[in-house]
Amino acid sequence: MKVLGFLSFLGRAYYGFQRQPNKVTVQGTVEEALSSLLGEETKIKGAGRTDAGVNAHQYPFSFPIAHRVNLGRLCSLLNRRLPIDISCSSLLYVDDSFDPRHSSVEKTYIYRFSVKKKHATLSDSVAYLGDYDFDLESFKAALRLFEGEHDFSNFTSKKEDVDGFIRFLRPIEVIFDEEEMIGQVIFRSNGFMTYQIRLMVGYAFRVAFHRSTIEELTEALRKKPRAVTHYKALANGLTLEEVTYERIPLL
């Protein structure tokens, strides 16, 4: 029997989602709480890794369970055990064939940032870039270069990739409030690689600040042999917003 749950968490205090030796992670924290509640060691499986400091909203995870229990009560008790920056919105019984990572068809990430104005109460999920002139149109133009299918080997720290670093990105949406000077960038794809979004956004910020040009970014995307860029946007601005499935086989 398998249970599917959905977590929301702020990543600032965690070394990413995936369990790691001698590191405080979201997975390790949730497993400790669940194991205590269920009276046996419980391992969870997530929808994929998140970088250290990255946030998530409605992040899917699953775990095996030996006997049926009241999942509403278990969810409530789990939230009492979890720290303030991790919450579970629901738990559902699903078919054993369901896999939160491999059953997904698309992931949506949002990168949130502010310039000029610093919003202290939003600092956990909005990256403050500083008091600089920001060229919104150049920023949008830079991001458009990443749309469609590309070899993103220069925009990930992965050493190897079974798909040859090829990924397809849907049209990238940029929303910017010129009064509050807060923006968000929405990315959708069937898969992203380690640091990919933060490296793409980081380079686009450089173009928006006129520290790099569109031509330099175009060359960085196409350059061979591989030369990984190093303009990485701050982690706290990135949130895994949604994981999409064709179907969730509920029991």
Side-chain angles (χ1 to χ4, degrees):
M1 201 179 313
K2 183 180 288 187
V3 174
L4 169 68
F6 295 90
L7 297 171
S8 293
F9 57 83
L10 294 173
R12 185 183 295 275
Y14 302 96
Y15 207 79
F17 173 81
Q18 186 169 328
R19 183 192 326 106
Q20 298 185 53
N22 305 315
K23 301 287 186 182
V24 178
T25 66
V26 175
Q27 182 177 13
T29 302
V30 174
E31 287 178 346
E32 183 178 351
L34 271 176
S35 298
S36 175
L37 285 170
L38 296 174
E40 59 183 10
E41 184 179 24
T42 303
K43 300 295 185 183
I44 69 173
K45 185 170 185 178
R49 298 183 180 184
T50 59
D51 300 340
V54 170
N55 313 305
H57 175 68
Q58 291 295 88
Y59 176 94
F61 73 104
S62 67
F63 60 93
I65 192 167
H67 306 287
R68 277 189 175 266
V69 298
N70 184 322
L71 292 183
R73 177 167 172 73
L74 179 60
C75 184
S76 177
L77 292 173
L78 176 60
N79 278 319
R80 293 184 193 179
R81 297 288 181 96
L82 291 173
I84 192 66
D85 49 10
I86 302 177
S87 66
C88 179
S89 62
S90 61
L91 295 173
L92 310 163
Y93 285 112
V94 293
D95 187 84
D96 285 341
S97 64
F98 182 80
D99 184 294
R101 179 179 179 184
H102 297 294
S103 297
S104 69
V105 295
E106 186 172 84
K107 291 181 179 178
T108 301
Y109 279 87
I110 299 181
Y111 195 92
R112 297 178 172 90
F113 65 95
S114 66
V115 290
K116 298 282 187 183
K117 291 185 177 182
K118 188 173 183 179
H119 303 268
T121 58
L122 302 176
S123 61
D124 282 333
S125 58
V126 177
Y128 176 59
L129 306 184
D131 187 11
Y132 302 111
D133 290 332
F134 180 75
D135 187 336
L136 179 60
E137 294 309 311
S138 292
F139 183 62
K140 291 179 178 179
L143 289 169
R144 281 197 293 269
L145 292 178
F146 299 118
E147 296 176 348
E149 185 174 272
H150 299 281
D151 175 347
F152 287 100
S153 56
N154 293 334
F155 287 84
T156 177
S157 63
K158 284 189 73 174
K159 294 182 179 180
E160 297 178 342
D161 184 69
V162 294
D163 296 314
F165 301 100
I166 304 297
R167 295 293 188 275
F168 179 87
L169 269 62
R170 295 186 182 275
I172 297 168
E173 185 177 357
V174 179
I175 301 169
F176 192 75
D177 184 332
E178 295 191 17
E179 182 175 341
E180 293 298 324
M181 299 302 286
I182 292 180
Q184 59 180 353
V185 188
I186 304 171
F187 297 89
R188 296 183 179 90
S189 176
N190 62 346
F192 295 94
M193 295 177 286
T194 309
Y195 296 140
Q196 181 182 346
I197 293 177
R198 291 172 60 194
L199 288 169
M200 292 189 300
V201 173
Y203 212 123
F205 282 150
R206 286 188 61 83
V207 174
F209 293 143
H210 299 297
R211 296 174 184 170
S212 293
T213 65
I214 289 288
E215 292 73 24
E216 289 171 333
L217 174 53
T218 301
E219 173 61 20
L221 183 59
R222 298 175 179 174
K223 190 172 184 179
K224 294 291 177 287
R226 186 183 183 193
V228 179
T229 62
H230 56 274
Y231 307 122
K232 190 189 302 178
L234 295 170
N236 67 302
L238 185 59
T239 299
L240 173 54
E241 194 70 19
E242 183 180 10
V243 180
T244 305
Y245 302 96
E246 284 187 358
R247 172 177 170 269
I248 297 178
L250 300 177
L251 293 180

